[in-house]
């Protein structure tokens, strides 16, 4: 066991197989992702947009600056613990760089990124998997949160439509 610089908690580096045995927890759900491109909305450059997947109604848009971080998190429906995915915004899409969750189990990739346990949470970094959009069915019952560079007030998930297919994507 070792401590990560700047960390106040315990950090343990584990292989995925050891992590699965260590946590002994049930299956976990993942965010569905899909494709789109970055082209700007025609006024003022590229935007990070939260919109309806079918109607394309826009609920929020934020000026896109390459390198800004998008965090999409929710309470897992089975474990009732927070799951957070962090994406780096780039001119050509989003790159998943970090996932943080309480349990690691079935459905999780076995060959992606660096895995460690920190303060009882599973942290996966160095994922670097590109996505052009993040898609999900929005629910007010799972406490969704959307953060831009740590600011969760820019897109208020409570104001988004309940039980509707939404997406976050650069345009």
């Amino acid at each position: 066991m070792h401590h990560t610089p700047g960390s106040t908690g315990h950090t343990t580096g584990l292989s995925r197989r050891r992590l699965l045995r260590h946590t002994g927890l049930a299956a976990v759900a993942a965010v569905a992702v899909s494709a789109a491109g970055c082209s700007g909305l025609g006024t003022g450059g590229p935007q990070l947009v939260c919109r309806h997947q079918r109607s394309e109604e826009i609920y929020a848009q934020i000026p896109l600056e390459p390198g800004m971080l998008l965090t999409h998190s929710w309470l897992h429906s089975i474990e009732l613990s927070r799951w957070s995915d962090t994406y780096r915004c780039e001119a050509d899409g989003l790159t998943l760089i970090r996932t943080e969750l309480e349990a690691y189990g079935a459905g999780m990739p076995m060959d992606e990124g660096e895995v460690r346990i920190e303060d009882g949470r599973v942290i996966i970094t160095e994922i670097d998997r590109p996505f052009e959009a993040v898609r999900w069915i929005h629910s007010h019952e799972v406490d969704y949160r959307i953060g831009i560079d740590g600011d969760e007030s820019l897109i208020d998930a409570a104001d988004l439509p309940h039980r509707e297919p939404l997406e976050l994507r650069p345009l």
Side-chain angles (χ1 to χ4, degrees), residues 2-168:
H2 64 280
H3 290 286
T4 302
S7 168
T8 59
H10 233 222
T11 302
T12 305
L14 297 174
S15 72
R16 283 179 176 47
R17 294 198 194 289
R18 284 186 58 212
L19 182 60
L20 284 170
R21 284 193 302 269
H22 177 75
T23 59
L25 298 168
V28 293
V31 171
V33 294
S34 185
C38 292
S39 61
L41 292 176
T43 60
Q47 303 283 310
L48 180 65
V49 175
C50 180
R51 71 181 188 178
H52 196 279
Q53 290 180 38
R54 291 187 300 260
S55 72
E56 298 185 358
E57 178 181 354
I58 294 174
Y59 302 107
Q61 62 188 46
I62 301 197
L64 177 72
E65 297 193 25
M68 72 184 202
L69 298 179
L70 162 67
T71 302
H72 183 251
S73 73
W74 63 96
L75 290 179
H76 188 279
S77 61
I78 296 171
E79 298 163 10
L80 302 178
S81 62
R82 183 145 305 275
W83 179 311
S84 297
D85 287 332
T86 301
Y87 300 83
R88 184 178 52 248
C89 297
E90 300 171 348
D92 58 350
L94 305 169
T95 302
L96 178 63
I97 60 170
R98 177 185 173 103
T99 294
E100 182 175 331
L101 55 143
E102 197 167 291
Y104 189 94
M108 292 298 304
M110 293 292 290
D111 59 352
E112 196 168 45
E114 297 293 321
V115 180
R116 69 182 187 275
I117 295 177
E118 186 174 310
D119 294 329
R121 305 233 350 126
V122 177
I123 311 287
I124 306 171
T125 57
E126 299 181 37
I127 301 166
D128 297 326
R129 185 172 6 134
F131 293 100
E132 294 177 353
V134 175
R135 290 185 169 186
W136 75 103
I137 304 297
H138 191 69
S139 173
H140 294 163
E141 297 167 6
V142 297
D143 190 25
Y144 271 104
R145 296 180 189 167
I146 300 168
I148 309 296
D149 287 336
D151 187 347
E152 293 180 352
S153 70
L154 298 175
I155 299 176
D156 187 349
D159 291 339
L160 298 174
H162 183 53
R163 296 186 178 147
E164 292 292 333
L166 304 182
E167 66 183 4
L168 287 160

